[in-house]
Amino acid sequence: MSKVFSAHAVSVNGYISGRTPDGAEEFGRGLGDAPMLFDWYFDGDTPSRLFDGFNLDEPSARFFDAIAARVGAAVAGRTTYEHSSHWGGGSPHPTAPLFVVSDRPVPEISERQTLVTTGVGDAIAAAREVAGDKDVALMGGGLVTEALRMGLVDELILHQVPILLSGGHSFFQELPEHVQLRLLEVIPASGVTHLHYEVVR
């Protein structure tokens, strides 16, 4: 059976964006001259087999491509969709179709993207149907938190960058109860540590 998972780059204290010197929030960037949370995508000498333009170090490339190869469909929340410039009308994954969850109209949505207005559960169900025997990748902290509340997430992958950000946007939102995780693997790499967890039910 296919799995539902989320993979995201985070600071050690769990932020996915920091604040710029003028107080604005910038997705993936730390404060001032702090490094980008996504620098490790481009700082290596091993090209990704799946993502054009991604050059990672060898451990990251091996892990990243293995995870990306599992994806048959992606689900993103509205905020992540907006912050990612609508992925140019495509998807965050080169081959997987994208489902966007929003309770209000999305005039920018393209024919290659599917809007779901009835909630995270329905979006994941639709994505699983399209994904077939492949997995569904979730994008967006609010969406992932809601899916965790509903018991729909099987795995979490945190690409942890060695920095403590002084503020910004936290990946996880408040949960009504604890969620226990089981560590499956740890992949140390240049500029990032990949932490692969299973959600314990």
Side-chain angles (χ1 to χ4, degrees):
M1 185 176 179
S2 66
K3 293 185 176 181
V4 176
F5 74 92
S6 179
H8 208 291
V10 298
S11 68
V12 171
N13 54 341
Y15 287 111
I16 57 175
S17 64
R19 296 198 183 279
T20 56
D22 62 1
E25 192 173 289
E26 187 169 351
F27 189 57
R29 183 174 288 282
L31 181 63
D33 60 357
M36 291 280 287
L37 294 178
F38 307 126
D39 282 353
W40 58 275
Y41 287 160
F42 311 106
D43 284 349
D45 56 8
T46 305
S48 168
R49 301 189 316 271
L50 299 172
F51 283 72
D52 290 340
F54 280 27
N55 290 288
L56 310 97
D57 76 345
E58 194 280 330
S60 286
R62 182 167 16 94
F63 180 77
F64 181 84
D65 282 349
I67 295 299
R70 295 171 41 183
V71 178
V75 180
R78 176 67 178 268
T79 300
T80 301
Y81 180 73
E82 299 290 351
H83 282 177
S84 303
S85 301
H86 321 131
W87 285 287
S91 171
H93 190 279
T95 59
L98 174 65
F99 293 79
V100 180
V101 182
S102 180
D103 59 2
R104 60 189 193 277
V106 183
E108 307 88 357
I109 203 148
S110 76
E111 294 180 357
R112 295 188 294 156
Q113 302 168 336
T114 301
L115 175 63
V116 179
T117 60
T118 52
V120 173
D122 286 345
I124 291 175
R128 289 189 98 143
E129 188 171 339
V130 168
D133 60 355
K134 288 199 164 188
D135 296 339
V136 173
L138 306 182
M139 301 196 67
L143 183 138
V144 172
T145 303
E146 180 62 23
L148 283 166
R149 289 190 188 112
M150 300 171 71
L152 297 176
V153 181
D154 299 300
E155 296 178 9
L156 289 171
I157 297 164
L158 302 178
H159 306 296
Q160 192 180 78
V161 177
I163 186 171
L164 293 167
L165 295 182
S166 60
H169 188 79
S170 179
F171 183 48
F172 295 105
Q173 298 179 7
E174 186 173 341
L175 288 161
E177 58 186 24
H178 298 314
V179 175
Q180 186 176 352
L181 305 176
R182 179 184 296 116
L183 185 62
L184 299 179
E185 59 183 330
V186 178
I187 310 293
S190 177
V192 64
T193 300
H194 308 285
L195 304 171
H196 185 183
Y197 296 98
E198 176 185 38
V199 178
V200 178
R201 293 196 179 92

